[in-house]
Amino acid sequence: LLYLGLRALDTRRIFYDRSTGVTAHRLDYWAATSFDPELGWDLGPGSKNNVGAARHHGDYPPEAHYKVKAFGDSFTFGSDVGDAQTWTAILEADTGWYCPNYGVPGYGPDQAFLKYRRTAVRSQWTILAIQQENIARLVNIYRAFYMEDWGPPKPRFFLEGENLRLEPNPIPRREEVRRLLDPGFVERLRRLDYWPRYNEEILGAPRRLKWPATWTILRHARFFAGRAALELRVRRRPTYEDEIRRFKSYHLYDESSEAFQILCRLIDAFVALCAERGERPLVVVFPMQHSVDLLKTYGRSVYQPLAGRLAA
């Protein structure tokens, strides 16, 4: 009963490691449809228009001087909305400008920057769109250690002094995708990823549900007791501090965190590359609904440190 109960509760992300959820069929499908040797994945050829942007905007006049183009994740790409309801399409309809959309579902700001770096299309303005949760993807190299479902690996940046060092995509060739079925290879990826260390050493969270479930609970009693106490406090007498503990990505907006420092340096690199190309940079931050509610209730913004850095 405990085992079945914990499996049901796992929709709340108790167990962080999804690497065992991958199959050879799923890997082959990734290789055939969206594999990218540099970025991990990208839109498939059939999903791009004549300038390499999302096809739902249609083709553009070749060699046009575009007013603005956008890079980001699914909030930029426009997942789950109609083609005419993406914000880039609305921008085009309202202004008459061409706005190539280079958003890709699941991207972190690092992948969006790398995609911009290799995109030859020029525009007067270039937007780097960052959904608030995206900071967590900067310190993640294998989506199976962070996201709610399995996803392929990606490149990630590391801090080296004041500079950034790029750790390339760990699967650089299409024919190597099945290496993700090798537990030894997956273990090497764990050592390059922030989230296993955070879950195990900071939270004391279990990696996977194992039999017997009683042993899982006893071994991680501090984690389960802490989560239960937090949920009770939030329901009875919520505070800003307890509210932000419910979402593990929020702590990364502390200015001393590795992820925050990487994000700031990545934005600096984006601005510098725009200047080199004669383009004007614009960074757009999309808040999560929960953080908007916190701002309304407590007058405090989770991502205020980033907003302050951008303003400065």
Side-chain angles (χ1 to χ4, degrees), residues 202-262:
I202 305 301
L203 298 184
R207 181 178 180 181
R208 300 185 187 118
L209 175 59
K210 295 183 179 179
W211 185 270
T214 307
W215 173 239
T216 300
I217 291 177
L218 291 176
R219 188 178 179 189
H220 301 278
R222 180 174 64 88
F223 168 76
F224 284 104
R227 282 292 294 270
L230 175 63
E231 293 298 327
L232 285 173
R233 288 199 306 271
V234 168
R235 281 164 172 75
R236 293 178 61 186
R237 189 174 297 174
T239 64
Y240 178 80
E241 288 72 22
D242 279 343
E243 288 275 14
I244 64 174
R245 289 190 185 100
R246 299 178 74 193
F247 292 84
K248 63 184 183 181
S249 65
Y250 285 2
H251 76 281
L252 298 177
Y253 278 98
D254 185 296
E255 293 186 61
S256 64
S257 80
E258 177 190 17
F260 185 83
Q261 295 299 319
I262 291 173

Side-chain angles (χ1 to χ4, degrees), residues 31-165:
T33 59
S34 61
F35 175 82
D36 186 282
E38 179 189 10
L39 304 174
W41 64 93
D42 196 3
L43 302 181
S47 300
K48 296 179 180 179
N49 65 13
N50 62 325
V51 297
R55 179 167 289 284
H56 52 229
H57 281 249
D59 287 342
Y60 291 113
E63 306 300 326
H65 180 71
Y66 304 111
K67 187 74 172 182
V68 60
K69 60 184 181 293
F71 296 82
D73 71 343
S74 57
F75 279 75
T76 299
F77 173 77
S79 297
D80 302 323
V81 300
D83 293 349
Q85 292 302 310
T86 66
W87 59 264
T88 48
I90 292 170
L91 186 62
E92 288 189 338
D94 286 353
T95 63
W97 302 339
Y98 294 115
C99 183
N101 182 335
Y102 292 97
V104 179
Y107 265 19
D110 44 7
Q111 292 164 291
F113 169 74
L114 293 171
K115 188 175 176 71
Y116 170 52
R117 195 167 69 177
R118 77 180 193 187
T119 299
V121 172
R122 297 291 184 262
S123 57
Q124 182 179 344
W125 290 83
T126 296
I127 297 174
L128 177 62
I130 302 171
Q131 197 262 8
Q132 179 191 323
E133 172 274 340
N134 291 171
I135 190 172
R137 304 179 189 186
L138 289 172
V139 287
N140 172 233
I141 200 166
Y142 188 19
R143 285 170 57 91
F145 298 142
Y146 170 65
M147 303 300 284
E148 294 181 2
D149 194 6
W150 178 86
K154 57 178 278 295
R156 68 157 291 194
F157 286 96
F158 286 88
L159 280 178
E160 284 196 347
E162 293 298 313
N163 301 312
L164 292 176
R165 174 182 65 82

